[in-house]
Amino acid sequence: MAGLLAGCAKPPQSQESLLGTAAIDTTTTSAFQPVATFRTSRQPMPGLPSMTLAGRTLTVGATEDIVLNPGEVILTFDDGPRAGSTPLILDTLDRFGVKATFLMLGSSAERNPGLVLDVAERGHTIGTHTYDHVDLSTLGPTEAVAEIYAGQQAVAAALAPSNRVPSRFFRFPYLAQTGVIRTSAVDSSFIVLDVDIDSKDYYSETPQQVLDRTLARLDARGSGIILFHDIHLRTAAMLPDFLSTLRENGYSVVTLRANSGVFDTPLVTAEAPLDEPGTL
Ligand SMILES: [Zn+2]
């Protein structure tokens, strides 16, 4: 039963989307545009590096390109979007001026298309996580890739009104995979997003317990891709303290983007209106 596997919660209902806005790269040029600044109002005050949690933008074309320096983290949120918890998390991320990657379920995206668009509008990267949280390790490669595509297409459909497309990032539900299926996913243009630090926020614990465990694991490792789930209110509750602590301890949150790739399905090959960052 999928519910017994480690790594993820059950499919919730919510949506999110991808993509980053062009705001990130306009920061450096805004100084030359005294009138029409393009900066997003959600970013923290500039000019105070020591207080800035937002780190560099890392754009990759393959899993192995995701190489972090000491002190760098990538925030990822799986299974959403979901009404209630996802908006809270989005507000916190805005407050701290950092971007995350949301690995959405197709079923969640269908239930919450407005939230998918909201995640995209706020400049986060959107990847996928199958349609309904299937344990792909129980399937053959053909069936598994079909499940991955089904999720990707549902998220793409939710994003369609914004003329954006999901990124190529994909995370295995329950982190359950086989070598053959992983290779099949990569051959299908997906970029498998692994996990270095599992917050285990799907346990029925207090926000403080999730916070303490995640910080301890991060401090022990020094950097990494952190797995959260935006379907849990406990995660939304602990996130402000988590990000505050990261900032106090000198960590930086890397914005992860994928090179635009071409999926061989009509929905995803739709042309995005934005350049590289916008295709999340
Ligand atoms: Zn999951």
Side-chain angles (χ1 to χ4, degrees):
M1 218 49 315
L4 298 178
L5 295 174
C8 279
K10 294 205 164 196
Q13 57 214 354
S14 53
Q15 68 220 2
E16 3 175 276
S17 52
L18 48 155
L19 139 345
T21 65
I24 294 170
D25 295 322
T26 56
T27 304
T28 53
T29 58
S30 61
F32 303 100
Q33 303 169 353
V35 178
T37 57
F38 220 103
R39 289 190 66 262
T40 163
S41 60
R42 296 187 170 104
Q43 300 222 332
M45 294 302 291
L48 295 172
S50 63
M51 297 297 289
T52 299
L53 183 60
R56 66 188 170 121
T57 294
L58 176 61
T59 302
V60 304
T63 302
E64 51 269 30
D65 296 336
I66 305 174
V67 179
L68 298 176
N69 299 315
E72 289 186 329
V73 303
I74 290 172
L75 304 176
T76 68
F77 294 90
D78 288 9
D79 295 4
R82 172 176 285 181
S85 50
T86 299
L88 290 172
I89 287 169
L90 290 175
D91 287 346
T92 297
L93 294 174
D94 280 349
R95 192 143 49 84
F96 283 85
V98 296
K99 304 302 180 188
T101 298
F102 290 78
L103 291 310
M104 298 182 177
L105 289 175
S107 54
S108 296
E110 282 187 355
R111 282 192 289 267
N112 303 283
L115 278 179
V116 175
L117 294 172
D118 196 15
V119 174
E121 294 276 328
R122 298 194 194 207
H124 301 289
T125 297
I126 294 179
T128 62
H129 195 47
T130 75
Y131 179 80
D132 206 15
H133 220 268
V134 181
D135 178 358
L136 298 181
S137 67
T138 65
L139 305 178
T142 302
E143 293 79 8
V145 170
E147 290 290 344
I148 296 172
Y149 268 122
Q152 192 275 341
Q153 292 196 332
V155 175
L159 279 172
S162 68
N163 286 324
R164 289 168 171 138
V165 297
S167 73
R168 297 188 291 138
F169 293 116
F170 170 77
R171 176 168 285 147
F172 282 92
Y174 313 106
L175 305 179
Q177 58 185 294
T178 67
V180 171
I181 293 173
R182 185 179 176 106
T183 298
S184 297
V186 172
D187 288 346
S188 300
S189 294
F190 289 94
I191 300 172
V192 177
L193 190 53
D194 297 312
V195 172
D196 296 320
I197 297 158
D198 186 351
S199 68
K200 296 196 181 295
D201 58 351
Y202 41 87
Y203 286 176
S204 295
E205 296 180 329
T206 65
Q208 186 67 48
Q209 287 174 301
V210 175
L211 175 68
D212 292 344
R213 174 175 47 246
T214 308
L215 286 172
R217 291 184 174 191
L218 173 58
D219 284 342
R221 202 176 184 285
S223 67
I225 302 170
I226 303 174
L227 168 62
F228 290 115
H229 296 82
D230 57 316
I231 58 172
H232 299 306
L233 287 173
R234 73 177 70 86
T235 303
M238 59 77 74
L239 192 60
D241 284 343
F242 179 73
L243 294 178
S244 289
T245 305
L246 290 196
R247 186 164 57 189
E248 290 166 7
N249 293 342
Y251 284 98
S252 66
V253 176
V254 171
T255 298
L256 181 65
R257 306 291 191 200
N259 288 332
S260 56
V262 178
F263 285 108
D264 52 3
T265 62
L267 273 178
V268 269
T269 53
E271 188 174 300
L274 303 175
D275 280 344
E276 208 61 25
T279 59
L280 51 126

